[in-house]
Amino acid sequence: MRGHFKGQQVGKVTQVYRKRFCLYIERIQREKANGTTVPVAIHPSNVTIVKLKMDKNRKQTLDRRAKGREGSNAKKGKYTPESAVETSDAKKTSDVSPKVDAESKSAESSPSKTQ
């Protein structure tokens, strides 16, 4: 752990506040002016998680997310010579559309005024 509470006893994570990106740890508290104790929010980058409590649902979720990451990273941003040739062939066939000069098209549509 880093910061002011470094070196204190190891505690369990009691709450995770995802909107504020902070953790609340079991024995990390401070005393307010009126004498009550409140838990201190700690940023996750300042914490080292030593042991995970794994149950069936968490294990399934981690496996599912790992499987999704594995499939998406395999082809993400990777070009092979074959895929480069395929993409260039596709561009060539789509660029074959006839091009019409914009000036000649506008001249045909609007009658010219002659005196």
Side-chain angles (χ1 to χ4, degrees):
M1 201 164 159
R2 296 174 57 188
H4 178 66
F5 297 100
K6 179 173 82 171
Q8 292 197 3
Q9 294 182 351
V10 177
K12 295 179 183 178
V13 174
T14 57
Q15 184 180 2
V16 177
Y17 200 145
R18 292 177 64 177
K19 187 174 181 179
R20 288 179 50 196
F21 297 104
C22 65
L23 303 173
Y24 294 99
I25 300 178
E26 199 169 52
R27 291 182 211 103
I28 311 258
Q29 298 176 347
R30 72 175 190 87
E31 191 171 320
K32 289 175 60 171
N34 63 3
T36 61
T37 59
V38 292
V40 177
I42 299 176
H43 195 271
S45 66
N46 297 330
V47 175
T48 304
I49 296 179
V50 179
K51 184 178 176 184
L52 287 174
K53 179 183 175 187
M54 295 294 274
D55 59 352
K56 186 177 79 171
N57 293 333
R58 286 186 183 180
K59 178 78 172 143
Q60 287 175 350
T61 303
L62 290 174
D63 290 342
R64 184 180 68 239
R65 292 182 71 185
K67 183 180 176 186
R69 287 185 181 132
E70 178 182 297
S72 66
N73 286 341
K75 296 186 180 186
K76 187 181 222 180
K78 305 291 183 194
Y79 283 104
T80 61
E82 296 84 26
S83 65
V85 170
E86 290 172 6
T87 56
S88 65
D89 289 341
K91 286 182 182 179
K92 287 179 184 176
T93 58
S94 65
D95 290 340
V96 178
S97 62
K99 295 183 180 180
V100 178
D101 187 19
E103 293 176 9
S104 65
K105 188 173 184 180
S106 64
E108 292 172 5
S109 63
S110 63
S112 61
K113 295 181 181 181
T114 56
Q115 294 182 355

